[in-house]
Amino acid sequence: MNPTAGMTLYTEFEDVAYSPYGVPFARGKENASSDNQFLLTRQQCKERGIDVHYDAKIRSIDVGSHTLTVQGEGVVRYDRLVIATGWEYADPDLDQGGLRGIFEVKDIRRTTEWDTYLDTVKEAVVVECGPITLEIVSALIQRGIKTTVLDPSSSQTPDAVDPDIMAPVRKAWEDAGVTMLCGQVTAFGGDGTLSHVETTSGSIPAQLAIIGTRKVSNNSLARAAGIELGRTGGIVIDSHMRTSARNVFAAGDCVEVQRGVSGIPSPGLSASHAYAQGKAAGLNAAGGNREYQPMYVPWATPTGDWIVGGVAFGETSATASGIKFVSGAAKGITRARYYPGVKPITVKLLADPVTHRLIGAQMVGGEGVKERADFLGVAIRAGVTIEDLATMENVYSPAIGALNEPINLAAQEVMKNF
Amino acid sequence: MNPTAGMTLYTEFEDVAYSPYGVPFARGKENASSDNQFLLTRQQCKERGIDVHYDAKIRSIDVGSHTLTVQGEGVVRYDRLVIATGWEYADPDLDQGGLRGIFEVKDIRRTTEWDTYLDTVKEAVVVECGPITLEIVSALIQRGIKTTVLDPSSSQTPDAVDPDIMAPVRKAWEDAGVTMLCGQVTAFGGDGTLSHVETTSGSIPAQLAIIGTRKVSNNSLARAAGIELGRTGGIVIDSHMRTSARNVFAAGDCVEVQRGVSGIPSPGLSASHAYAQGKAAGLNAAGGNREYQPMYVPWATPTGDWIVGGVAFGETSATASGIKFVSGAAKGITRARYYPGVKPITVKLLADPVTHRLIGAQMVGGEGVKERADFLGVAIRAGVTIEDLATMENVYSPAIGALNEPINLAAQEVMKNF
């Protein structure tokens, strides 16, 4: 956008531009090495003229004087600032007692150490059933580690997932020896290294505890600078990724964005839109004019042999937001029933009771969930109705698709419920 | 729709309700047996009260007196008639000289015999590069049979596929030892059994020849009955699957249907919409009122390690139909670039130069083609624009989806070409 503008990037970490979303898989050994998760090495950053300050700690932002205070560097002036401080796990408010064996899954370097530690572990506790839990539990199963998932809710399901969609995943976990426990951690025990986790449901032997709480905006710098935060704790931005402070933009997991369908502000906690926001914020900070639209958040995540996914609202989240809906679900298959590799897939669709427009979807299946989530995201934005989906055409080709597309079947179920 | 109505089904074959689209795969041994391709056995038909007349030959239809003449049964009266005579291979107009070893891929019984014959074959010629050729050639490769594809066009590509989309498939075929030859068969040679095929490009040793010509409407009964046929040879139907004759409906590969985007009548040669049409024709014949809408024909077919697919118009078919378009293509990937099982996928999108609405797509990739073809079919019908797709959200989850959705990348390419 502006090739002559200088750009400095500050990070508190030792690396930039890697894929943290691959970390849980590296730990399940599906992905042999973490090295290939890096998009840009330090050398490549330098070659592209990106001035990266690694291990840098920003102490404060002064939005009045357009300056940052950087530890060890002093006061630095900016013309435009983009805040991309990301997320952190919601604080479970527990004293970890300096024990070895308690981990968060976030920093690629730390999880590489963790990988080695995992080889010594026989039993693990995952503290809360957040989004990362879906991936981590299947990695632990694959490593042969006896796992307990401890969650305070009786549904033991991440907020974004409806319990019926979670059911086959829970069953697969239980079949693999995972214990689902309703309760909370009261203390971590051990001598130097974790040996057991005390909970409201009893003591659990464990050499490993993983903090799997929900993600929240890492907003401390912005808050201290007096930049407006929303109800969810995310930085408030406008359609051009501008914050309340002049010449300060923000993007990614630290912001709060407008949800499509409801217009309700929502935490921006997903790689999918962080990437699009980053591009919009960067372009606009450099003098461009890119609008970022309300989001529908197609998402999907594999967990063992299952993939769970969806877009916009599920029954749980629609109910919590006070959104009226009519829903319907269908069990389908991904290839002809006789073709090798055929997998089950359940699709649930939610529609507005008056306009019949699609307002959300939830899915669980063995393949093809990501593509359907993307599809339904575009469909919601385009105002597609359940009738449109109930009469949609679909490919039939035995090796790659079933006679009846599961989205089509689910739409027919919704029709019966209007 | 009408449970008290009697229903009689006449078929010239020995079976009903099987999946002919699985036949090419059975022949490549991906699918161990043909038995599981049957949806309904004779016994199951009987139990459901479906009166099937197997090996039945309809001699003629009299639309005036509402009667059929059935060989061996005489004259049969109908209140409503549904014609579903399907398709046949375009006649290559060649004398087969009664030689063993010349096959069409259509009837499941005949191809079961053919399966045994294949074990004796070292060399094969596929006569023309029609849609079935994509599947058959990879089956022959898998069986270790040296294969020559003979097609009169220099592109040696089915009409529905653009040459650039076909390119990786051709390369895979050539790498596997398949010869692509531009030419025509002049004669079949042999003594009782086929031993060679004479062509305009020389003589080719072959114990097997497969007729892979394009599919055409099997319209002879309808034609003889004076029922209106269209320019493509298909039976003309209205939006309720009614033919020009009173109380006579038609559905499936024998009809001509209105194409979305262009409104041009087009042969209805695809399982995907045959199924939807069958339901509409059946319901309406029984007194219902189901409308069948213009079609966009999402399609996809695997061929070896590749899947080729698309929806509505490609560059070749749009040009042939005189439809103005702007196109753009992008090469993407189906998972994170470091994740095991990641496959390439090329997506090409076509848009209307004035409205920027999507009017077609072509794809070739290793997975996820069917889901994207379905998606883009709904998107075309909903009037989605290239701008909508260029700003679409997508799932990013390393094991199942790449950071950049290939449809999104292709839309950005189209934007550059407006």
Side-chain angles (χ1 to χ4, degrees), chain B residues 129-405:
Chain B
C129 195
I132 197 80
T133 308
L134 292 174
E135 293 170 358
I136 282 295
V137 170
S138 54
L140 294 173
I141 290 170
Q142 197 150 332
R143 296 281 284 245
I145 296 169
K146 171 141 186 53
T147 301
T148 302
V149 178
L150 186 76
D151 192 88
S153 81
S154 58
S155 73
Q156 286 167 309
T157 296
D159 291 343
V161 187
D162 288 348
D164 59 332
I165 295 295
M166 187 70 178
V169 176
R170 284 191 59 151
K171 184 172 182 314
W173 287 359
E174 284 162 8
D175 290 349
V178 174
T179 305
M180 306 291 291
L181 207 61
C182 181
Q184 283 178 277
V185 177
T186 52
F188 294 110
D191 186 8
T193 298
L194 182 73
S195 64
H196 61 281
V197 177
E198 301 290 349
T199 81
T200 52
S201 300
S203 176
I204 306 164
Q207 302 80 52
L208 171 70
I210 296 163
I211 306 305
T213 53
R214 73 181 198 288
K215 293 157 78 180
V216 294
S217 166
N218 181 10
N219 61 15
S220 49
L221 267 179
R223 182 190 299 271
I227 293 169
E228 187 186 352
L229 303 180
R231 197 178 48 82
T232 71
I235 299 168
V236 173
I237 47 157
D238 69 8
S239 63
H240 285 68
M241 315 305 294
R242 289 179 287 238
T243 70
S244 63
R246 200 158 55 92
N247 292 330
V248 179
F249 300 77
D253 295 337
C254 61
V255 308
E256 177 177 277
V257 287
Q258 193 192 339
R259 279 291 275 268
V261 179
S262 66
I264 296 171
S266 165
L269 299 169
S270 153
S272 319
H273 49 269
Y275 182 69
Q277 287 169 8
K279 284 206 279 196
L283 276 163
N284 293 339
N289 182 27
R290 179 177 290 198
E291 199 173 350
Y292 184 76
Q293 296 174 329
M295 64 183 201
Y296 298 90
V297 198
W299 61 275
T301 190
T303 172
D305 292 336
W306 291 102
I307 301 162
V308 179
V311 61
F313 289 95
E315 293 181 312
T316 304
S317 55
T319 304
S321 300
I323 291 171
K324 291 209 171 69
F325 64 87
V326 173
S327 68
K331 284 179 200 239
I333 49 179
T334 59
R335 310 179 186 191
R337 93 211 119 61
Y338 57 79
Y339 203 85
V342 56
K343 312 262 184 177
I345 181 167
T346 296
V347 175
K348 187 201 296 184
L349 300 176
L350 282 74
D352 182 278
V354 177
T355 64
H356 291 198
R357 282 185 175 199
L358 184 69
I359 60 169
Q362 293 260 304
M363 290 175 276
V364 59
E367 60 180 353
V369 172
K370 118 90 188 171
E371 294 83 357
R372 289 180 174 86
D374 289 352
F375 165 11
L376 294 169
V378 173
I380 294 174
R381 202 171 78 173
V384 161
T385 65
I386 288 295
E387 284 77 1
D388 292 331
L389 295 176
T391 58
M392 73 179 272
E393 297 169 81
N394 67 266
V395 173
Y396 169 53
S397 183
I400 53 173
L403 189 55
N404 294 295
E405 163 55 37

Side-chain angles (χ1 to χ4, degrees), chain A residues 297-315:
Chain A
V297 198
W299 62 275
T301 190
T303 173
D305 292 335
W306 292 102
I307 302 163
V308 180
V311 62
F313 289 96
E315 293 181 310

